[in-house]
mmCIF file of all heavy atoms in Angstrom:
data_model
loop_
_atom_site.group_PDB
_atom_site.id
_atom_site.type_symbol
_atom_site.label_atom_id
_atom_site.label_comp_id
_atom_site.label_asym_id
_atom_site.label_seq_id
_atom_site.Cartn_x
_atom_site.Cartn_y
_atom_site.Cartn_z
ATOM 1 N N TRP A 1386 -9.064 17.208 -18.989
ATOM 2 C CA TRP A 1386 -9.147 17.240 -20.445
ATOM 3 C C TRP A 1386 -9.993 18.359 -20.986
ATOM 4 O O TRP A 1386 -9.778 18.805 -22.101
ATOM 5 C CB TRP A 1386 -9.696 15.899 -20.864
ATOM 6 C CG TRP A 1386 -8.819 14.719 -20.521
ATOM 7 C CD1 TRP A 1386 -7.466 14.707 -20.294
ATOM 8 C CD2 TRP A 1386 -9.247 13.371 -20.265
ATOM 9 N NE1 TRP A 1386 -7.013 13.476 -19.921
ATOM 10 C CE2 TRP A 1386 -8.110 12.633 -19.926
ATOM 11 C CE3 TRP A 1386 -10.478 12.705 -20.364
ATOM 12 C CZ2 TRP A 1386 -8.181 11.242 -19.562
ATOM 13 C CZ3 TRP A 1386 -10.518 11.349 -20.000
ATOM 14 C CH2 TRP A 1386 -9.394 10.656 -19.666
ATOM 15 N N GLN A 1387 -10.962 18.746 -20.195
ATOM 16 C CA GLN A 1387 -11.829 19.934 -20.642
ATOM 17 C C GLN A 1387 -11.208 21.279 -20.287
ATOM 18 O O GLN A 1387 -11.825 22.298 -20.474
ATOM 19 C CB GLN A 1387 -13.179 19.819 -19.962
ATOM 20 C CG GLN A 1387 -13.998 18.512 -20.460
ATOM 21 C CD GLN A 1387 -15.159 18.232 -19.609
ATOM 22 O OE1 GLN A 1387 -15.587 19.065 -18.785
ATOM 23 N NE2 GLN A 1387 -15.805 17.098 -19.857
ATOM 24 N N GLY A 1388 -10.004 21.241 -19.735
ATOM 25 C CA GLY A 1388 -9.278 22.439 -19.418
ATOM 26 C C GLY A 1388 -9.630 23.035 -18.067
ATOM 27 O O GLY A 1388 -9.309 24.203 -17.757
ATOM 28 N N GLU A 1389 -10.312 22.250 -17.243
ATOM 29 C CA GLU A 1389 -10.646 22.727 -15.878
ATOM 30 C C GLU A 1389 -9.741 22.127 -14.874
ATOM 31 O O GLU A 1389 -8.890 21.222 -15.142
ATOM 32 C CB GLU A 1389 -12.089 22.324 -15.544
ATOM 33 C CG GLU A 1389 -13.124 22.900 -16.501
ATOM 34 C CD GLU A 1389 -14.534 22.496 -16.109
ATOM 35 O OE1 GLU A 1389 -14.754 22.241 -14.947
ATOM 36 O OE2 GLU A 1389 -15.385 22.382 -16.991
ATOM 37 N N ASP A 1390 -9.702 22.704 -13.603
ATOM 38 C CA ASP A 1390 -8.895 22.151 -12.569
ATOM 39 C C ASP A 1390 -9.276 20.670 -12.311
ATOM 40 O O ASP A 1390 -10.500 20.308 -12.394
ATOM 41 C CB ASP A 1390 -9.070 22.937 -11.230
ATOM 42 C CG ASP A 1390 -8.462 24.333 -11.380
ATOM 43 O OD1 ASP A 1390 -7.593 24.538 -12.243
ATOM 44 O OD2 ASP A 1390 -8.871 25.210 -10.603
ATOM 45 N N GLY A 1391 -8.285 19.879 -12.006
ATOM 46 C CA GLY A 1391 -8.588 18.462 -11.933
ATOM 47 C C GLY A 1391 -8.211 17.798 -10.640
ATOM 48 O O GLY A 1391 -8.191 18.455 -9.616
ATOM 49 N N CYS A 1392 -7.879 16.550 -10.738
ATOM 50 C CA CYS A 1392 -7.806 15.671 -9.549
ATOM 51 C C CYS A 1392 -6.486 15.748 -8.810
ATOM 52 O O CYS A 1392 -6.320 15.114 -7.805
ATOM 53 C CB CYS A 1392 -8.055 14.207 -10.011
ATOM 54 S SG CYS A 1392 -6.651 13.622 -11.026
ATOM 55 N N THR A 1393 -5.521 16.533 -9.301
ATOM 56 C CA THR A 1393 -4.210 16.546 -8.677
ATOM 57 C C THR A 1393 -4.268 17.060 -7.260
ATOM 58 O O THR A 1393 -3.322 16.768 -6.515
ATOM 59 C CB THR A 1393 -3.249 17.413 -9.498
ATOM 60 O OG1 THR A 1393 -3.784 18.706 -9.657
ATOM 61 C CG2 THR A 1393 -3.028 16.813 -10.890
ATOM 62 N N ASP A 1394 -5.303 17.725 -6.861
ATOM 63 C CA ASP A 1394 -5.404 18.271 -5.473
ATOM 64 C C ASP A 1394 -6.217 17.446 -4.589
ATOM 65 O O ASP A 1394 -6.530 17.892 -3.441
ATOM 66 C CB ASP A 1394 -5.848 19.725 -5.510
ATOM 67 C CG ASP A 1394 -7.156 19.957 -6.168
ATOM 68 O OD1 ASP A 1394 -7.671 18.964 -6.769
ATOM 69 O OD2 ASP A 1394 -7.732 21.008 -6.166
ATOM 70 N N ILE A 1395 -6.730 16.294 -4.991
ATOM 71 C CA ILE A 1395 -7.461 15.361 -4.117
ATOM 72 C C ILE A 1395 -6.676 14.076 -4.059
ATOM 73 O O ILE A 1395 -6.331 13.498 -5.087
ATOM 74 C CB ILE A 1395 -8.842 15.130 -4.603
ATOM 75 C CG1 ILE A 1395 -9.711 16.342 -4.645
ATOM 76 C CG2 ILE A 1395 -9.550 14.031 -3.714
ATOM 77 C CD1 ILE A 1395 -11.073 16.152 -5.155
ATOM 78 N N LEU A 1396 -6.361 13.615 -2.814
ATOM 79 C CA LEU A 1396 -5.650 12.366 -2.659
ATOM 80 C C LEU A 1396 -6.702 11.274 -2.398
ATOM 81 O O LEU A 1396 -7.353 11.328 -1.321
ATOM 82 C CB LEU A 1396 -4.688 12.452 -1.551
ATOM 83 C CG LEU A 1396 -3.951 11.166 -1.069
ATOM 84 C CD1 LEU A 1396 -3.108 10.669 -2.237
ATOM 85 C CD2 LEU A 1396 -3.087 11.366 0.132
ATOM 86 N N TYR A 1397 -6.873 10.330 -3.295
ATOM 87 C CA TYR A 1397 -7.766 9.208 -3.082
ATOM 88 C C TYR A 1397 -6.953 7.988 -2.658
ATOM 89 O O TYR A 1397 -5.921 7.599 -3.299
ATOM 90 C CB TYR A 1397 -8.536 8.882 -4.387
ATOM 91 C CG TYR A 1397 -9.598 9.914 -4.660
ATOM 92 C CD1 TYR A 1397 -9.513 10.751 -5.792
ATOM 93 C CD2 TYR A 1397 -10.714 10.066 -3.888
ATOM 94 C CE1 TYR A 1397 -10.517 11.640 -6.129
ATOM 95 C CE2 TYR A 1397 -11.740 10.941 -4.135
ATOM 96 C CZ TYR A 1397 -11.622 11.781 -5.308
ATOM 97 O OH TYR A 1397 -12.569 12.638 -5.642
ATOM 98 N N LEU A 1398 -7.418 7.301 -1.602
ATOM 99 C CA LEU A 1398 -6.701 6.139 -1.019
ATOM 100 C C LEU A 1398 -7.653 4.970 -0.971
ATOM 101 O O LEU A 1398 -8.824 5.149 -0.499
ATOM 102 C CB LEU A 1398 -6.176 6.464 0.350
ATOM 103 C CG LEU A 1398 -5.224 7.572 0.487
ATOM 104 C CD1 LEU A 1398 -4.819 7.859 1.928
ATOM 105 C CD2 LEU A 1398 -3.928 7.308 -0.285
ATOM 106 N N ASN A 1399 -7.183 3.847 -1.456
ATOM 107 C CA ASN A 1399 -8.015 2.571 -1.421
ATOM 108 C C ASN A 1399 -7.694 1.887 -0.128
ATOM 109 O O ASN A 1399 -6.765 1.107 -0.016
ATOM 110 C CB ASN A 1399 -7.680 1.733 -2.653
ATOM 111 C CG ASN A 1399 -8.463 0.433 -2.682
ATOM 112 O OD1 ASN A 1399 -7.946 -0.589 -3.145
ATOM 113 N ND2 ASN A 1399 -9.676 0.435 -2.167
ATOM 114 N N GLN A 1400 -8.548 2.133 0.891
ATOM 115 C CA GLN A 1400 -8.319 1.614 2.214
ATOM 116 C C GLN A 1400 -9.632 1.190 2.899
ATOM 117 O O GLN A 1400 -10.689 1.772 2.599
ATOM 118 C CB GLN A 1400 -7.537 2.566 3.184
ATOM 119 C CG GLN A 1400 -6.115 2.912 2.701
ATOM 120 C CD GLN A 1400 -5.476 3.867 3.697
ATOM 121 O OE1 GLN A 1400 -6.057 4.361 4.591
ATOM 122 N NE2 GLN A 1400 -4.224 4.064 3.489
ATOM 123 N N ASP A 1401 -9.567 0.227 3.744
ATOM 124 C CA ASP A 1401 -10.645 -0.154 4.658
ATOM 125 C C ASP A 1401 -10.666 0.830 5.807
ATOM 126 O O ASP A 1401 -9.643 0.964 6.486
ATOM 127 C CB ASP A 1401 -10.477 -1.626 5.127
ATOM 128 C CG ASP A 1401 -11.596 -2.160 5.882
ATOM 129 O OD1 ASP A 1401 -12.335 -1.374 6.576
ATOM 130 O OD2 ASP A 1401 -11.850 -3.356 5.852
ATOM 131 N N MET A 1402 -11.814 1.470 6.047
ATOM 132 C CA MET A 1402 -11.849 2.411 7.143
ATOM 133 C C MET A 1402 -11.571 1.832 8.529
ATOM 134 O O MET A 1402 -11.244 2.564 9.465
ATOM 135 C CB MET A 1402 -13.210 3.249 7.130
ATOM 136 C CG MET A 1402 -14.386 2.457 7.590
ATOM 137 S SD MET A 1402 -15.825 3.496 7.709
ATOM 138 C CE MET A 1402 -16.212 3.843 5.984
ATOM 139 N N ARG A 1403 -11.727 0.534 8.634
ATOM 140 C CA ARG A 1403 -11.437 -0.168 9.945
ATOM 141 C C ARG A 1403 -9.923 -0.241 10.218
ATOM 142 O O ARG A 1403 -9.563 -0.571 11.330
ATOM 143 C CB ARG A 1403 -12.087 -1.517 9.910
ATOM 144 C CG ARG A 1403 -13.584 -1.595 9.902
ATOM 145 C CD ARG A 1403 -14.108 -2.944 9.616
ATOM 146 N NE ARG A 1403 -13.727 -3.457 8.299
ATOM 147 C CZ ARG A 1403 -14.187 -4.588 7.784
ATOM 148 N NH1 ARG A 1403 -14.949 -5.360 8.474
ATOM 149 N NH2 ARG A 1403 -13.830 -4.913 6.578
ATOM 150 N N GLU A 1404 -9.145 0.067 9.175
ATOM 151 C CA GLU A 1404 -7.697 0.056 9.415
ATOM 152 C C GLU A 1404 -6.966 1.091 8.562
ATOM 153 O O GLU A 1404 -5.861 0.863 8.099
ATOM 154 C CB GLU A 1404 -7.115 -1.351 9.150
ATOM 155 C CG GLU A 1404 -7.570 -1.937 7.807
ATOM 156 C CD GLU A 1404 -7.220 -3.426 7.638
ATOM 157 O OE1 GLU A 1404 -7.068 -4.048 8.681
ATOM 158 O OE2 GLU A 1404 -7.074 -3.852 6.493
ATOM 159 N N PHE A 1405 -7.671 2.249 8.396
ATOM 160 C CA PHE A 1405 -7.065 3.287 7.500
ATOM 161 C C PHE A 1405 -5.851 3.884 8.122
ATOM 162 O O PHE A 1405 -5.669 3.911 9.358
ATOM 163 C CB PHE A 1405 -8.123 4.339 7.135
ATOM 164 C CG PHE A 1405 -8.401 5.313 8.192
ATOM 165 C CD1 PHE A 1405 -7.761 6.564 8.278
ATOM 166 C CD2 PHE A 1405 -9.422 5.122 9.128
ATOM 167 C CE1 PHE A 1405 -8.063 7.486 9.316
ATOM 168 C CE2 PHE A 1405 -9.738 6.006 10.130
ATOM 169 C CZ PHE A 1405 -9.072 7.221 10.200
ATOM 170 N N GLU A 1406 -4.946 4.432 7.242
ATOM 171 C CA GLU A 1406 -3.695 5.050 7.668
ATOM 172 C C GLU A 1406 -3.553 6.384 6.918
ATOM 173 O O GLU A 1406 -3.746 6.466 5.675
ATOM 174 C CB GLU A 1406 -2.512 4.170 7.387
ATOM 175 C CG GLU A 1406 -2.470 2.881 8.175
ATOM 176 C CD GLU A 1406 -1.215 2.064 7.899
ATOM 177 O OE1 GLU A 1406 -0.408 2.515 7.139
ATOM 178 O OE2 GLU A 1406 -1.064 0.950 8.490
ATOM 179 N N LEU A 1407 -3.136 7.409 7.631
ATOM 180 C CA LEU A 1407 -2.824 8.682 7.044
ATOM 181 C C LEU A 1407 -1.342 9.015 7.284
ATOM 182 O O LEU A 1407 -0.755 8.426 8.165
ATOM 183 C CB LEU A 1407 -3.734 9.808 7.590
ATOM 184 C CG LEU A 1407 -5.264 9.665 7.341
ATOM 185 C CD1 LEU A 1407 -5.993 10.784 8.042
ATOM 186 C CD2 LEU A 1407 -5.563 9.668 5.850
ATOM 187 N N TYR A 1408 -0.868 10.001 6.529
ATOM 188 C CA TYR A 1408 0.570 10.404 6.684
ATOM 189 C C TYR A 1408 0.740 11.370 7.867
ATOM 190 O O TYR A 1408 1.910 11.604 8.199
ATOM 191 C CB TYR A 1408 1.041 11.044 5.369
ATOM 192 C CG TYR A 1408 0.869 10.088 4.175
ATOM 193 C CD1 TYR A 1408 -0.061 10.405 3.187
ATOM 194 C CD2 TYR A 1408 1.592 8.950 4.060
ATOM 195 C CE1 TYR A 1408 -0.251 9.551 2.095
ATOM 196 C CE2 TYR A 1408 1.390 8.111 3.014
ATOM 197 C CZ TYR A 1408 0.541 8.384 2.008
ATOM 198 O OH TYR A 1408 0.322 7.584 0.931
ATOM 199 N N GLY A 1409 -0.265 11.850 8.421
ATOM 200 C CA GLY A 1409 -0.191 12.792 9.544
ATOM 201 C C GLY A 1409 -1.588 13.117 9.988
ATOM 202 O O GLY A 1409 -2.556 12.482 9.557
ATOM 203 N N THR A 1410 -1.753 14.066 10.905
ATOM 204 C CA THR A 1410 -3.060 14.390 11.437
ATOM 205 C C THR A 1410 -3.751 15.328 10.513
ATOM 206 O O THR A 1410 -3.122 16.107 9.725
ATOM 207 C CB THR A 1410 -2.931 14.996 12.842
ATOM 208 O OG1 THR A 1410 -2.121 16.094 12.863
ATOM 209 C CG2 THR A 1410 -2.449 13.955 13.806
ATOM 210 N N VAL A 1411 -5.121 15.487 10.659
ATOM 211 C CA VAL A 1411 -5.924 16.351 9.843
ATOM 212 C C VAL A 1411 -6.845 17.200 10.652
ATOM 213 O O VAL A 1411 -7.046 16.846 11.853
ATOM 214 C CB VAL A 1411 -6.690 15.508 8.766
ATOM 215 C CG1 VAL A 1411 -5.793 14.769 7.818
ATOM 216 C CG2 VAL A 1411 -7.636 14.551 9.477
ATOM 217 N N ALA A 1412 -7.354 18.239 10.064
ATOM 218 C CA ALA A 1412 -8.219 19.146 10.862
ATOM 219 C C ALA A 1412 -9.559 18.525 11.193
ATOM 220 O O ALA A 1412 -10.160 18.772 12.237
ATOM 221 C CB ALA A 1412 -8.387 20.451 10.065
ATOM 222 N N ALA A 1413 -10.090 17.754 10.241
ATOM 223 C CA ALA A 1413 -11.363 17.098 10.402
ATOM 224 C C ALA A 1413 -11.442 15.853 9.579
ATOM 225 O O ALA A 1413 -10.793 15.690 8.659
ATOM 226 C CB ALA A 1413 -12.487 18.058 9.988
ATOM 227 N N ILE A 1414 -12.387 14.958 10.047
ATOM 228 C CA ILE A 1414 -12.708 13.760 9.275
ATOM 229 C C ILE A 1414 -14.237 13.702 9.205
ATOM 230 O O ILE A 1414 -14.906 13.995 10.166
ATOM 231 C CB ILE A 1414 -12.136 12.519 9.997
ATOM 232 C CG1 ILE A 1414 -10.615 12.518 9.968
ATOM 233 C CG2 ILE A 1414 -12.693 11.256 9.357
ATOM 234 C CD1 ILE A 1414 -9.936 11.363 10.746
ATOM 235 N N ILE A 1415 -14.707 13.378 8.064
ATOM 236 C CA ILE A 1415 -16.129 13.272 7.848
ATOM 237 C C ILE A 1415 -16.465 11.924 7.235
ATOM 238 O O ILE A 1415 -15.590 11.288 6.625
ATOM 239 C CB ILE A 1415 -16.684 14.417 6.917
ATOM 240 C CG1 ILE A 1415 -16.085 14.289 5.498
ATOM 241 C CG2 ILE A 1415 -16.376 15.806 7.573
ATOM 242 C CD1 ILE A 1415 -16.758 15.183 4.463
ATOM 243 N N SER A 1416 -17.677 11.456 7.355
ATOM 244 C CA SER A 1416 -18.207 10.261 6.691
ATOM 245 C C SER A 1416 -19.661 10.402 6.524
ATOM 246 O O SER A 1416 -20.395 10.491 7.506
ATOM 247 C CB SER A 1416 -17.820 9.007 7.591
ATOM 248 O OG SER A 1416 -18.218 7.807 6.847
ATOM 249 N N LEU A 1417 -20.130 10.450 5.326
ATOM 250 C CA LEU A 1417 -21.524 10.743 4.965
ATOM 251 C C LEU A 1417 -22.119 9.560 4.156
ATOM 252 O O LEU A 1417 -21.482 8.545 3.890
ATOM 253 C CB LEU A 1417 -21.596 12.021 4.175
ATOM 254 C CG LEU A 1417 -20.936 13.248 4.817
ATOM 255 C CD1 LEU A 1417 -21.153 14.501 3.946
ATOM 256 C CD2 LEU A 1417 -21.453 13.476 6.209
ATOM 257 N N CYS A 1418 -23.389 9.761 3.820
ATOM 258 C CA CYS A 1418 -24.177 8.847 2.957
ATOM 259 C C CYS A 1418 -24.229 7.435 3.635
ATOM 260 O O CYS A 1418 -24.068 6.414 2.976
ATOM 261 C CB CYS A 1418 -23.548 8.687 1.612
ATOM 262 S SG CYS A 1418 -23.350 10.290 0.739
ATOM 263 N N ASP A 1419 -24.433 7.404 4.929
ATOM 264 C CA ASP A 1419 -24.553 6.233 5.754
ATOM 265 C C ASP A 1419 -23.407 5.229 5.600
ATOM 266 O O ASP A 1419 -23.594 4.031 5.776
ATOM 267 C CB ASP A 1419 -25.908 5.533 5.584
ATOM 268 C CG ASP A 1419 -26.382 5.313 4.179
ATOM 269 O OD1 ASP A 1419 -26.011 4.353 3.531
ATOM 270 O OD2 ASP A 1419 -27.070 6.209 3.710
ATOM 271 N N SER A 1420 -22.214 5.712 5.317
ATOM 272 C CA SER A 1420 -21.092 4.794 5.228
ATOM 273 C C SER A 1420 -20.814 4.032 6.521
ATOM 274 O O SER A 1420 -20.384 2.916 6.516
ATOM 275 C CB SER A 1420 -19.790 5.617 4.767
ATOM 276 O OG SER A 1420 -20.008 6.133 3.484
ATOM 277 N N MET A 1421 -20.979 4.780 7.677
ATOM 278 C CA MET A 1421 -20.732 4.031 8.962
ATOM 279 C C MET A 1421 -21.666 2.939 9.217
ATOM 280 O O MET A 1421 -21.349 2.097 10.030
ATOM 281 C CB MET A 1421 -20.777 5.171 10.069
ATOM 282 C CG MET A 1421 -19.571 6.044 10.064
ATOM 283 S SD MET A 1421 -18.071 5.187 10.546
ATOM 284 C CE MET A 1421 -16.807 6.406 10.037
ATOM 285 N N ASN A 1422 -22.845 2.977 8.617
ATOM 286 C CA ASN A 1422 -23.792 1.821 8.804
ATOM 287 C C ASN A 1422 -23.241 0.510 8.263
ATOM 288 O O ASN A 1422 -23.740 -0.559 8.548
ATOM 289 C CB ASN A 1422 -25.138 2.117 8.205
ATOM 290 C CG ASN A 1422 -25.912 3.198 8.972
ATOM 291 O OD1 ASN A 1422 -26.025 4.313 8.544
ATOM 292 N ND2 ASN A 1422 -26.442 2.820 10.110
ATOM 293 N N TYR A 1423 -22.218 0.621 7.325
ATOM 294 C CA TYR A 1423 -21.622 -0.567 6.737
ATOM 295 C C TYR A 1423 -20.744 -1.282 7.756
ATOM 296 O O TYR A 1423 -20.354 -2.447 7.574
ATOM 297 C CB TYR A 1423 -20.852 -0.261 5.543
ATOM 298 C CG TYR A 1423 -21.643 -0.112 4.245
ATOM 299 C CD1 TYR A 1423 -22.066 1.079 3.771
ATOM 300 C CD2 TYR A 1423 -22.034 -1.189 3.523
ATOM 301 C CE1 TYR A 1423 -22.820 1.259 2.677
ATOM 302 C CE2 TYR A 1423 -22.849 -1.123 2.409
ATOM 303 C CZ TYR A 1423 -23.253 0.126 1.923
ATOM 304 O OH TYR A 1423 -23.992 0.257 0.811
ATOM 305 N N ILE A 1424 -20.374 -0.654 8.839
ATOM 306 C CA ILE A 1424 -19.560 -1.260 9.898
ATOM 307 C C ILE A 1424 -20.610 -1.961 10.798
ATOM 308 O O ILE A 1424 -21.286 -1.345 11.588
ATOM 309 C CB ILE A 1424 -18.770 -0.244 10.679
ATOM 310 C CG1 ILE A 1424 -17.987 0.568 9.748
ATOM 311 C CG2 ILE A 1424 -17.896 -0.962 11.670
ATOM 312 C CD1 ILE A 1424 -16.960 -0.193 8.891
ATOM 313 N N THR A 1425 -20.711 -3.272 10.700
ATOM 314 C CA THR A 1425 -21.756 -4.036 11.354
ATOM 315 C C THR A 1425 -21.428 -4.619 12.754
ATOM 316 O O THR A 1425 -22.286 -5.207 13.385
ATOM 317 C CB THR A 1425 -22.271 -5.217 10.448
ATOM 318 O OG1 THR A 1425 -21.215 -6.067 10.155
ATOM 319 C CG2 THR A 1425 -22.807 -4.631 9.110
ATOM 320 N N GLN A 1426 -20.170 -4.494 13.164
ATOM 321 C CA GLN A 1426 -19.785 -4.982 14.480
ATOM 322 C C GLN A 1426 -19.348 -3.810 15.369
ATOM 323 O O GLN A 1426 -18.606 -2.930 14.912
ATOM 324 C CB GLN A 1426 -18.610 -5.999 14.331
ATOM 325 C CG GLN A 1426 -18.929 -7.191 13.512
ATOM 326 C CD GLN A 1426 -19.970 -8.079 14.142
ATOM 327 O OE1 GLN A 1426 -20.066 -8.208 15.372
ATOM 328 N NE2 GLN A 1426 -20.805 -8.694 13.326
ATOM 329 N N GLU A 1427 -19.850 -3.829 16.627
ATOM 330 C CA GLU A 1427 -19.511 -2.726 17.539
ATOM 331 C C GLU A 1427 -17.958 -2.542 17.704
ATOM 332 O O GLU A 1427 -17.506 -1.456 17.742
ATOM 333 C CB GLU A 1427 -20.155 -2.973 18.913
ATOM 334 C CG GLU A 1427 -21.622 -2.605 18.948
ATOM 335 C CD GLU A 1427 -22.165 -2.598 20.354
ATOM 336 O OE1 GLU A 1427 -21.385 -2.417 21.287
ATOM 337 O OE2 GLU A 1427 -23.434 -2.790 20.551
ATOM 338 N N GLU A 1428 -17.293 -3.691 17.843
ATOM 339 C CA GLU A 1428 -15.857 -3.546 18.045
ATOM 340 C C GLU A 1428 -15.137 -2.953 16.861
ATOM 341 O O GLU A 1428 -14.164 -2.218 17.016
ATOM 342 C CB GLU A 1428 -15.220 -4.936 18.418
ATOM 343 C CG GLU A 1428 -15.473 -6.024 17.350
ATOM 344 C CD GLU A 1428 -16.705 -6.897 17.564
ATOM 345 O OE1 GLU A 1428 -17.646 -6.335 18.148
ATOM 346 O OE2 GLU A 1428 -16.639 -8.069 17.204
ATOM 347 N N ASP A 1429 -15.641 -3.214 15.667
ATOM 348 C CA ASP A 1429 -15.014 -2.616 14.441
ATOM 349 C C ASP A 1429 -15.329 -1.107 14.433
ATOM 350 O O ASP A 1429 -14.506 -0.256 14.045
ATOM 351 C CB ASP A 1429 -15.570 -3.278 13.198
ATOM 352 C CG ASP A 1429 -15.004 -4.651 12.975
ATOM 353 O OD1 ASP A 1429 -13.906 -4.963 13.522
ATOM 354 O OD2 ASP A 1429 -15.600 -5.456 12.246
ATOM 355 N N LEU A 1430 -16.598 -0.756 14.808
ATOM 356 C CA LEU A 1430 -16.997 0.696 14.816
ATOM 357 C C LEU A 1430 -16.103 1.499 15.816
ATOM 358 O O LEU A 1430 -15.658 2.602 15.576
ATOM 359 C CB LEU A 1430 -18.435 0.808 15.111
ATOM 360 C CG LEU A 1430 -19.083 2.213 14.820
ATOM 361 C CD1 LEU A 1430 -18.867 2.623 13.414
ATOM 362 C CD2 LEU A 1430 -20.599 2.137 15.148
ATOM 363 N N LYS A 1431 -15.918 0.839 17.005
ATOM 364 C CA LYS A 1431 -15.065 1.462 18.007
ATOM 365 C C LYS A 1431 -13.647 1.614 17.458
ATOM 366 O O LYS A 1431 -12.980 2.704 17.667
ATOM 367 C CB LYS A 1431 -14.994 0.611 19.266
ATOM 368 C CG LYS A 1431 -14.142 1.149 20.351
ATOM 369 C CD LYS A 1431 -14.072 0.272 21.587
ATOM 370 C CE LYS A 1431 -13.062 0.748 22.581
ATOM 371 N NZ LYS A 1431 -13.013 -0.178 23.784
ATOM 372 N N LYS A 1432 -13.135 0.641 16.667
ATOM 373 C CA LYS A 1432 -11.792 0.739 16.129
ATOM 374 C C LYS A 1432 -11.705 1.912 15.190
ATOM 375 O O LYS A 1432 -10.705 2.658 15.089
ATOM 376 C CB LYS A 1432 -11.433 -0.551 15.441
ATOM 377 C CG LYS A 1432 -10.061 -0.607 14.751
ATOM 378 C CD LYS A 1432 -8.963 -0.361 15.698
ATOM 379 C CE LYS A 1432 -7.614 -0.448 14.992
ATOM 380 N NZ LYS A 1432 -6.463 -0.157 15.951
#
């Protein structure tokens, strides 16, 4: 709305990382801000 580049080039998906799905492979995956600490079971983290 302010005339700048916007969100059309970022794909946001509402998914649980324990069962996330992508349309193909990617060059890299990152997870920051201690998001992985929210996975409280070892078996889920392994998944």
Side-chain angles (χ1 to χ4, degrees):
W1386 297 333
Q1387 295 167 8
E1389 301 180 28
D1390 290 338
C1392 68
T1393 55
D1394 56 352
I1395 297 178
L1396 174 63
Y1397 287 113
L1398 300 174
N1399 180 211
Q1400 296 182 351
D1401 187 329
M1402 69 173 73
R1403 293 169 296 184
E1404 49 190 26
F1405 76 93
E1406 296 182 1
L1407 297 176
Y1408 302 111
T1410 58
V1411 297
I1414 295 176
I1415 64 171
S1416 184
L1417 308 182
C1418 307
D1419 46 86
S1420 293
M1421 286 292 162
N1422 288 106
Y1423 278 99
I1424 308 299
T1425 59
Q1426 300 294 324
E1427 283 192 22
E1428 57 267 31
D1429 287 338
L1430 194 56
K1431 178 182 173 182
K1432 178 62 175 176

